[in-house]
Amino acid sequence: MKIPYYILLLSFLSFALISCEEDVNDWGYDERYDRLFRPATFEVENMLPTSVQLKFSGVVNATKYVFEFSEGDSLLFTNITKIVDITTDSLYTLFSNLDSKKSPAAIEFSMPFGGLKGTTPYSVRVKAVDENHNLESGYMQAYFETPDEQIFKSSNSATNKATLFWMPDAEVTHILYWENVGEGQEPVQQTLQLTSEDKLAGRATITGLASGTGYMAVIYNDDAKRGTWSFRTLGINNGRTIRLQAGDASNIDAILIDCVTNGDRTVTLVFDGNQVYEIDKIIVPEGIDLLYMVGDAATDGIQPELYLNNITMSAPMTAIIFQGVDLNARLNSSNYVFDIGNTNCFKGVSFEGCTIRNIGRSLVRLNHEGLNVDYVRISDCIIKNVGVSGYGFINMGKNIVKLGELSIKNSTVMDFGSDRLMQLQGGVVNLIIDKSTLCNFISKSAEVFRFDRQPGSVTVTNSIFTGNNGNSKINAGRNDYSAYLEYPSCYITSDLVINTNPFTNAVSLELTSEDLFVDPQNGDFHFKEGVSFNGRGKAGDPRWW
């Protein structure tokens, strides 16, 4: 039996109608995989002791990003100690310069995350979350290790103790310290438990140390290392040590003679901080070979003040070393602290961590034919108001004097004389100025250097020349020394006007001393906050960084 045509046609139309209403591409899916895409990029940009900079790309439809930090493992995430949520709105507010036409997936964010521990491995992962639809992405992850943290700021040493300073109220528990020993030897470590007062003040004093000895200290919060500091006690670890009170100042010559009588050739004189010593002059007797003049200002940092105009020697000696004293010559107009006019001289003299001030003429003058001195070294010192009657802070007055090393490092020199900083007629083998701040406001120095003979080598680096030089122009040298004297990595503020002879290769700033420093006329050379200066942390006396 044949089916009528109209019935077949009706059946076909019905099937076609049903087929048009169905979506043949509407496949089923597993709801477990209904999620956002992961950030396309996720990487560590910069690591600091207690923070990290992370770069990640945006995700379409994400309303926030969740960061999880796991401490002490490598991508295992078994010890999550920090979770940070960052909303997309806050990101777009922070990065307000974003191109609004770009897809979120084409935008990269770079965010800092703090509150980490130094010297610690971390795993970090991020996921994107859509809170409106209860969706999230899979994780992107990375691994990094924070470098050593450094909360120590400074230290003050004495002969048998040292005070260490760190950021006040930091989370710390104890200090581990030990004496530096030779290679292959095992140091004996000791522990100083910190009191609540120590923690609040950010300082503690280690006692019972050996003189003239190097030490290492590490500060901890439980087992987390938060800083490392090396220091050296003052004086020397042999010979005779004598602690002086203010009333002993006039008896120093007799005390030194008594040392010679007892066969003591190496002597350390210790001056107590916060005291004034009216010394005037010292004559070092024959028989003293090595003399240390040491200030004990470990606890409060206030150096002993030595009113000392002149030191002479009765015979040649190896060295005189000043450490941590305030040497005040009280502006005797014709004064040289060391005026060497015969063969009774030191092989070396050094000033370490001292204040040196109010010298009428020169700190050191070498003015005898045939003198052959190994070194004059100045480090970590504050020097002010010297050479007011001329002659230069350091003066070599004879052409045939020979000086092996003349150096000024990590120091601040203010108002360095009406003539010049250095007058070097003799032969200097090695002249070094590094990481120092040199400033004139009152003095009108004609030049920085006078060389009558070219030094063997001259290195002036990482230093700042500043101040208005008493509203007077200044030369780098008495003559044009640019053939052998340059100032790489040095800076000159705009209020210091250069005369004829230039500071070759120094960077001339558009900033004045008042623009760059907090209070330069009163000796505060900390850099002002917010001032753009490429030498920050690299140039000038590091105490101001």
Side-chain angles (χ1 to χ4, degrees):
M1 177 179 175
K2 294 183 179 180
I3 300 175
Y5 171 78
Y6 70 87
I7 296 177
L8 290 174
L9 179 63
L10 180 61
S11 298
F12 173 78
L13 291 174
S14 299
F15 176 78
L17 182 61
I18 294 171
S19 297
C20 290
E21 289 177 352
E22 292 181 354
D23 184 356
V24 295
N25 292 317
D26 189 12
W27 302 95
Y29 64 89
D30 189 336
E31 292 184 357
R32 293 176 299 171
Y33 297 97
D34 185 14
R35 58 173 54 176
L36 303 181
F37 287 106
R38 296 184 298 178
T41 61
F42 182 55
E43 59 188 72
V44 176
E45 277 197 310
N46 187 33
M47 290 175 294
L48 294 174
T50 59
S51 65
V52 66
Q53 191 92 5
L54 298 177
K55 183 170 71 174
F56 61 99
S57 54
V59 173
V60 176
N61 295 330
T63 59
K64 72 175 183 178
Y65 301 86
V66 179
F67 296 82
E68 298 176 354
F69 293 81
S70 181
E71 181 182 315
D73 64 26
S74 179
L75 303 179
L76 298 177
F77 295 95
T78 57
N79 184 32
I80 295 176
T81 57
K82 184 182 184 68
I83 299 176
V84 180
D85 288 7
I86 299 180
T87 64
T88 302
D89 288 344
S90 66
L91 282 174
Y92 275 78
T93 300
L94 182 62
F95 295 88
S96 56
N97 59 341
L98 294 176
D99 186 346
S100 59
K101 296 180 181 179
K102 281 188 175 182
S103 165
I107 296 173
E108 287 189 332
F109 304 98
S110 183
M111 295 288 295
F113 295 82
L116 307 180
K117 295 179 180 178
T119 327
T120 303
Y122 281 93
S123 301
V124 59
R125 61 188 182 185
V126 60
K127 64 180 178 181
V129 177
D130 178 0
E131 297 165 292
N132 297 324
H133 300 93
N134 198 29
L135 299 176
E136 61 183 43
S137 73
Y139 285 103
M140 291 288 283
Q141 57 192 27
Y143 172 83
F144 64 94
E145 293 185 19
T146 52
D148 289 349
E149 188 178 6
Q150 179 59 289
I151 65 169
F152 278 124
K153 297 170 65 178
S154 62
S155 63
N156 287 331
S157 293
T159 52
N160 59 0
K161 62 183 176 181
T163 300
L164 306 181
F165 300 85
W166 62 88
M167 291 186 293
D169 211 18
E171 292 186 8
V172 289
T173 53
H174 64 283
I175 294 175
L176 196 67
Y177 65 95
W178 60 91
E179 179 183 329
N180 293 336
V181 295
E183 187 175 350
Q185 296 179 298
E186 193 68 27
V188 177
Q189 297 184 340
Q190 300 183 69
T191 301
L192 175 66
Q193 295 293 339
L194 300 174
T195 67
S196 56
E197 290 80 9
D198 295 334
K199 299 173 187 178
L200 182 63
R203 74 179 190 184
T205 299
I206 303 172
T207 59
L209 305 178
S211 300
T213 303
Y215 287 87
M216 184 68 69
V218 181
I219 191 166
Y220 287 88
N221 181 32
D222 295 326
D223 58 350
K225 183 166 67 173
R226 301 211 59 191
T228 302
W229 195 260
S230 62
F231 63 94
R232 188 176 186 85
T233 51
L234 305 184
I236 190 169
N237 196 12
N238 58 53
R240 185 174 176 184
T241 298
I242 302 170
R243 184 172 291 273
L244 303 176
Q245 298 302 312
D248 299 324
S250 59
N251 298 322
I252 289 178
D253 289 358
I255 291 169
L256 293 176
I257 291 172
D258 182 65
C259 291
V260 173
T261 302
N262 285 283
D264 300 313
R265 295 181 58 83
T266 298
V267 178
T268 300
L269 300 180
V270 181
F271 302 87
D272 282 336
N274 250 325
Q275 292 198 45
V276 175
Y277 293 80
E278 296 269 2
I279 299 171
D280 190 28
K281 296 181 180 181
I282 294 176
I283 301 174
V284 182
E286 183 177 0
I288 299 293
D289 187 56
L290 191 59
L291 177 62
Y292 280 78
M293 307 276 286
V294 174
D296 183 353
T299 304
D300 56 18
I302 300 177
Q303 297 176 334
E305 189 170 357
L306 311 186
Y307 287 150
L308 178 59
N309 291 313
N310 182 254
I311 303 176
T312 60
M313 286 144 282
S314 301
M317 59 186 299
T318 297
I320 299 180
I321 296 96
F322 291 81
Q323 297 177 322
V325 298
D326 180 351
L327 177 58
N328 185 351
R330 295 200 287 191
L331 276 184
N332 183 330
S333 62
S334 60
N335 182 49
Y336 306 92
V337 175
F338 286 98
D339 186 10
I340 311 299
N342 52 45
T343 58
N344 294 331
C345 185
F346 42 71
K347 295 298 291 180
V349 62
S350 65
F351 300 83
E352 305 165 9
C354 294
T355 301
I356 304 168
R357 56 189 174 124
N358 299 332
I359 301 173
R361 289 189 175 176
S362 305
L363 175 66
V364 177
R365 184 192 188 202
L366 304 175
N367 195 37
H368 181 73
E369 294 183 3
L371 280 179
N372 190 347
V373 177
D374 289 344
Y375 61 85
V376 175
R377 295 173 181 152
I378 297 165
S379 60
D380 305 300
C381 289
I382 298 285
I383 302 159
K384 51 188 175 182
N385 208 21
V386 297
V388 295
S389 300
Y391 290 84
F393 173 54
I394 304 294
N395 186 308
M396 293 174 64
K398 293 289 184 182
N399 284 328
I400 56 176
V401 172
K402 181 180 178 182
L403 175 57
E405 178 190 324
L406 172 55
S407 61
I408 299 177
K409 299 178 181 180
N410 303 336
S411 295
T412 298
V413 186
M414 292 186 64
D415 296 315
F416 51 78
S418 57
D419 286 344
R420 60 194 61 87
L421 176 67
M422 296 181 183
Q423 178 170 319
L424 307 177
Q425 293 174 264
V428 178
V429 177
N430 228 343
L431 172 59
I432 303 167
I433 296 179
D434 184 52
K435 290 187 177 67
S436 292
T437 302
L438 300 98
C439 175
N440 266 350
F441 278 110
I442 300 173
S443 299
K444 296 182 178 182
S445 291
E447 64 229 7
V448 179
F449 298 111
R450 171 186 169 179
F451 300 137
D452 285 23
R453 291 170 59 188
Q454 178 179 333
S457 70
V458 186
T459 306
V460 184
T461 50
N462 305 308
S463 296
I464 303 172
F465 295 83
T466 186
N468 61 18
N469 197 43
N471 293 312
S472 177
K473 293 182 179 180
I474 190 170
N475 283 305
R478 189 179 195 185
N479 298 306
D480 184 357
Y481 304 137
S482 58
Y484 59 87
L485 172 58
E486 297 185 351
Y487 296 79
S489 62
C490 292
Y491 297 83
I492 300 173
T493 57
S494 62
D495 50 339
L496 184 63
V497 180
I498 310 305
N499 202 347
T500 307
N501 300 321
F503 291 73
T504 306
N505 288 338
V507 177
S508 296
L509 301 174
E510 296 182 357
L511 302 166
T512 68
S513 53
E514 300 287 349
D515 295 332
L516 182 59
F517 303 113
V518 171
D519 189 8
Q521 299 211 38
N522 291 301
D524 187 347
F525 293 93
H526 287 101
F527 299 120
K528 284 185 175 178
E529 291 294 331
V531 173
S532 177
F533 173 52
N534 288 338
R536 189 184 294 267
K538 295 179 288 187
D541 186 342
R543 82 186 70 229
W544 308 114
W545 294 355

